[in-house]
Amino acid sequence: MIAIGDRAPSFSLPSSNGELVESAALKGQPYLLYFYPKADTPGCTTQACDLRDQKQTLASLSLRVIGVSPDPVEKLERFARKYGLDFTLVSDSEHRLADAYGTWVEKSMYGKTYFGMERSSFLVDADGVIRALWRKVKPADHVALVTEAAAEL
């Protein structure tokens, strides 16, 4: 399980803007990697729109935001367009990155068990080290937690 002080796992994933996002290219800048279950659902939309609305605050902290979901790139493109999301959304359709971070987990609903994405976030510093993490984060609380922790980087 990933912990504070660990090196962030490397990745290379397709994004909603058609680019390949690679962790190696992020060296030298802090970033927030936030995992969410499904684009264009109520909780995920609240979380994404809060991040969009706080873009200026996050930018003042030099923090790049990267959302990760198992959705295909096309769905992420529609989600970003629909809500004017101007940060990076990447598709982890094979959940390799989610597995590396321990966010692809067994869930239960109405007595049925299945695997899905746990809503979790990881604040990574400019050296690629995890400085804060939040598991099972509540969408409405997310931005405040991130802003407070990022201000300490």
Side-chain angles (χ1 to χ4, degrees), residues 38-105:
K38 191 172 184 179
D40 210 5
T41 57
C44 296
T45 300
T46 295
Q47 187 175 24
C49 289
D50 283 352
L51 286 163
R52 175 203 63 203
D53 294 346
Q54 293 301 316
K55 180 182 181 177
Q56 201 167 4
T57 301
L58 297 170
S60 74
L61 298 169
S62 301
L63 188 66
R64 178 163 179 189
V65 175
I66 303 169
V68 183
S69 85
D71 294 310
V73 170
E74 298 78 22
K75 186 168 184 180
L76 298 178
E77 289 170 351
R78 287 191 304 272
F79 183 47
R81 256 192 327 272
K82 182 175 180 179
Y83 294 101
L85 305 177
D86 51 2
F87 53 85
T88 306
L89 299 176
V90 296
S91 173
D92 186 22
S93 59
E94 296 178 6
H95 25 90
R96 287 189 183 129
L97 188 58
D99 284 337
Y101 276 88
T103 62
W104 191 253
V105 299

Side-chain angles (χ1 to χ4, degrees), residues 10-30:
S10 61
F11 64 90
S12 177
L13 294 170
S15 74
S16 59
N17 64 7
E19 297 175 2
L20 196 61
V21 177
E22 297 180 318
S23 55
L26 299 171
K27 286 189 183 192
Q29 78 174 106

